[in-house]
Amino acid sequence: MENIIQWNCRGLRANFYEIKILLQNYLPSAICLQETKLTQPNSYYQFKGYTSYHQYAGMTDGNPSGGVAILVNNSFPHHQINLNTTLQAIAIQISTRKTITLCSIYLPPNSRLDPRELDSLINQLPSPILLLGDFNAHNPIWGSHTQNNRGQMIENFITRNNFCIKNDGSHTYIHSANQSTSALDLSICDPSLFLDYDWSTLDDLHGSDHYPILLQADRPVTDSSGQRWKLHKADWNK
């Protein structure tokens, strides 16, 4: 089955081996990460069989902040999409059962969000789109206990662009101090992809305060490579 994972890993360096466990256990075609906190390329933090695409983190009060990445299984044809945006986002186009666009996005909780930036980002992405990330937005529509201004803004963004949301109301984040929960991580898609994937959260935080989210295709990946013949081994006389 084709798996796609999204996860706010709260530091790729800190949870490097947890990411390797997820890759080993679920063999995803791609994994979209948020809050990688990598500030520059580092050859040590590579994953065998996967190509890594990064938007590197900035620095806040001397500490790495933010950062997004997509790790793509080399078995699938893919390429990066160059983005012109101030948002923390990175995107690729990948061909599995069909050709889709994956975008990993992180919206920091205290940053000002201009909805025009989200619309501009979407206009740069070929359809159909899976927009996966930590939006830090509260809205009961996707499982939060309350609604804030950003939650309303994201709801309007989804409606305005005729998108669907895969979340089933499960919490995706747990506050380490008071154990309160919320749904901050959203899986947004084109309507044509809504029925293609089953959505669920994993039951292990894997070292973060966000649960990894698994998007699992409801049908096996078809082999589109076609038949190949070993003509040099043919017995032409026979």
Side-chain angles (χ1 to χ4, degrees):
M1 302 295 285
E2 177 203 346
N3 296 323
I4 296 172
I5 293 175
Q6 70 176 92
W7 187 33
N8 180 323
C9 61
R10 202 171 67 165
L12 188 151
R13 181 181 287 107
N15 286 315
F16 176 67
Y17 291 102
E18 295 295 331
I19 296 171
K20 294 183 75 171
I21 289 172
L22 290 172
L23 295 179
Q24 178 180 337
N25 289 347
Y26 296 96
L27 300 175
S29 56
I31 179 169
C32 295
L33 300 173
Q34 298 84 45
E35 280 205 276
T36 58
K37 299 185 181 182
L38 285 185
T39 57
Q40 60 186 2
N42 190 319
S43 59
Y44 179 79
Y45 297 106
Q46 301 295 322
F47 301 89
K48 185 177 180 180
Y50 285 80
T51 299
S52 302
Y53 299 95
H54 292 270
Q55 186 188 90
Y56 291 100
M59 299 294 290
T60 302
D61 297 327
N63 296 311
S65 175
V68 290
I70 302 179
L71 314 179
V72 189
N73 191 315
N74 291 331
S75 300
F76 299 97
H78 64 273
H79 66 271
Q80 184 176 3
I81 299 171
N82 294 321
L83 300 177
N84 179 19
T85 181
T86 60
L87 299 174
Q88 294 190 46
I90 194 161
I92 60 128
Q93 197 167 43
I94 181 171
S95 297
T96 54
R97 300 180 308 143
K98 61 177 70 172
T99 299
I100 65 172
T101 296
L102 282 179
C103 183
S104 178
I105 185 170
Y106 175 65
L107 302 179
N110 298 319
S111 65
R112 179 181 176 274
L113 177 61
D114 186 340
R116 292 173 297 182
E117 278 290 325
L118 282 173
D119 289 334
S120 174
L121 172 65
I122 292 302
N123 290 335
Q124 298 174 59
L125 302 177
S127 296
I129 300 165
L130 271 175
L131 181 63
L132 309 176
D134 180 358
F135 287 75
N136 279 297
H138 297 275
N139 193 311
I141 288 176
W142 49 78
S144 296
H145 306 299
T146 60
Q147 178 174 307
N148 60 4
N149 289 337
R150 182 179 290 186
Q152 184 62 59
M153 189 182 301
I154 299 302
E155 179 185 345
N156 294 341
F157 162 75
I158 292 170
T159 303
R160 184 168 62 249
N161 288 280
N162 193 32
F163 285 147
C164 300
I165 186 161
K166 292 291 296 178
N167 294 58
D168 64 3
S170 301
H171 60 258
T172 67
Y173 166 80
I174 182 166
H175 194 285
S176 57
N178 58 27
Q179 300 299 295
S180 63
T181 60
S182 190
L184 303 179
D185 306 276
L186 307 182
S187 307
I188 298 169
C189 68
D190 276 305
S192 63
L193 296 178
F194 184 75
L195 296 178
D196 286 1
Y197 297 92
D198 294 326
W199 187 97
S200 62
T201 56
L202 303 184
D203 57 6
D204 188 337
L205 288 166
H206 285 275
S208 179
D209 49 7
H210 292 250
Y211 291 95
I213 293 169
L214 178 65
L215 294 161
Q216 187 174 55
D218 58 0
R219 296 184 300 275
V221 178
T222 56
D223 183 3
S224 59
S225 60
Q227 290 181 321
R228 296 184 180 182
W229 302 92
K230 297 181 179 179
L231 298 178
H232 65 285
K233 290 188 175 183
D235 186 343
W236 295 109
N237 292 327
K238 183 177 181 180

